[in-house]
Amino acid sequence: ARPQSVGGVVRIASQGVAIVVAMDQSSSMSTTDFPADHDTRRISRLEAARETFARFVAGRRDDSIGLTTFANYPDLACPPTLDHRFLIQSVDAVRPARPGDDGTNIGDAIAWSLEALRRTSPSRKVLILLTDGNNAPAVPNPLDPMRAAELARDLGVTLHTIAIGREGGVVHGVDESGRMVAAEREGPNVELLDQLAETTGGRSFRATDADALDGVFQTIDAMEKSQIREEVRTRYDERFA
């Protein structure tokens, strides 16, 4: 007869979201214009992005997180994983693109990130696009960013965008001879990033310094949590003598 008793059922509640961050690594991301440490020093945009991303990952131990990098071509640097130590090593290895690969291919970067998210099991899927430039790929037949955002919407993926760095436009200054000069400054296409996020029901953010970027990731961290409950059966206690 083998009499037994069940030790009970333990319910474990945790947070679980699949997240991929698409990080711009074009040469402009090496611009050293991000105030850090209360404005006592300045770091590059890419360095600020790497450091902030690492802190974001550290606070989400139950989430499967991945990293896509892009310039002219996207690259899945780390598929969504719970091995966050390896993920941090992957983001630490991100460097600005070489001259031959320099560009900003937002559409294809979104597509590669969506493919990585599509293979994950959590029902809640989030893509975070971080870029400091306009969509300017130097490759044949790139995917249109708005079409990529529509694909994200159809797949149920929420896209949040972060415009990093100062906006583009005409900048006035003084040259070495003391004359007033005007120059065109490249910057993120804020209007496009707003439209991409809005298409999927996500939010669009702007960050011009390290503290602001950290605040953006904290806001996303608070927004993107989903409750997952699962049952874990405990051992059987044998009652036979």
Side-chain angles (χ1 to χ4, degrees):
R2 192 180 181 181
Q4 296 175 318
S5 64
V6 178
V9 176
V10 179
R11 293 182 179 273
I12 297 179
S14 65
Q15 308 293 326
V17 183
I19 302 172
V20 169
V21 173
M23 185 179 297
D24 189 347
Q25 62 172 158
S26 58
S27 61
S28 58
M29 287 289 287
S30 62
T31 304
T32 308
D33 64 349
F34 255 51
D37 296 340
H38 304 289
D39 294 344
T40 59
R41 68 185 182 100
R42 291 180 180 271
I43 60 177
S44 72
R45 300 169 183 176
L46 186 58
E47 184 179 354
R50 289 199 306 257
E51 292 178 357
T52 306
F53 179 71
R55 289 191 292 270
F56 175 75
V57 171
R60 304 190 67 103
R61 63 181 183 180
D62 295 320
D63 295 323
S64 182
I65 306 177
L67 174 68
T68 300
T69 59
F70 69 96
N72 256 339
Y73 297 95
D75 178 44
L76 184 60
C78 179
T81 180
L82 290 172
D83 185 356
H84 292 173
R85 179 177 297 182
F86 174 74
L87 175 62
I88 295 303
Q89 291 174 350
S90 299
V91 75
D92 286 343
V94 176
R95 295 293 181 267
R98 297 177 180 178
D101 185 35
D102 204 12
T104 308
N105 190 348
I106 292 177
D108 287 349
I110 293 175
W112 275 60
S113 302
L114 291 177
E115 176 63 17
L117 284 168
R118 190 178 65 83
R119 299 174 179 271
T120 61
S121 56
S123 59
R124 181 64 175 169
K125 302 178 191 294
V126 177
L127 171 57
I128 302 172
L129 173 68
L130 187 151
T131 181
D132 71 338
N134 194 2
N135 183 58
V139 297
N141 303 317
L143 180 64
D144 180 77
M146 287 304 301
R147 176 56 183 150
E150 292 169 358
L151 290 173
R153 179 195 61 200
D154 295 343
L155 290 171
V157 176
T158 302
L159 170 62
H160 299 299
T161 61
I162 305 175
I164 185 171
R166 300 178 183 275
E167 292 187 33
V170 178
V171 181
H172 298 277
V174 180
D175 64 12
E176 295 179 355
S177 63
R179 294 179 304 174
M180 289 294 297
V181 295
E184 189 74 21
R185 179 177 62 198
E186 291 285 345
N189 188 335
V190 175
E191 182 178 356
L192 173 62
L193 297 179
D194 288 346
Q195 293 174 352
L196 296 178
E198 183 179 357
T199 299
T200 68
R203 288 186 58 183
S204 181
F205 301 90
R206 303 177 189 179
T208 57
D209 59 50
D211 289 339
L213 183 60
D214 203 46
V216 168
F217 271 94
Q218 289 178 15
T219 300
I220 295 175
D221 180 58
M223 292 169 51
E224 297 299 347
K225 294 185 183 295
S226 65
Q227 194 73 17
I228 297 176
R229 303 191 68 90
E230 60 179 337
E231 295 183 356
V232 178
R233 298 186 184 279
T234 60
R235 64 181 173 80
Y236 288 89
D237 295 326
E238 301 291 346
R239 296 303 182 184
F240 183 71

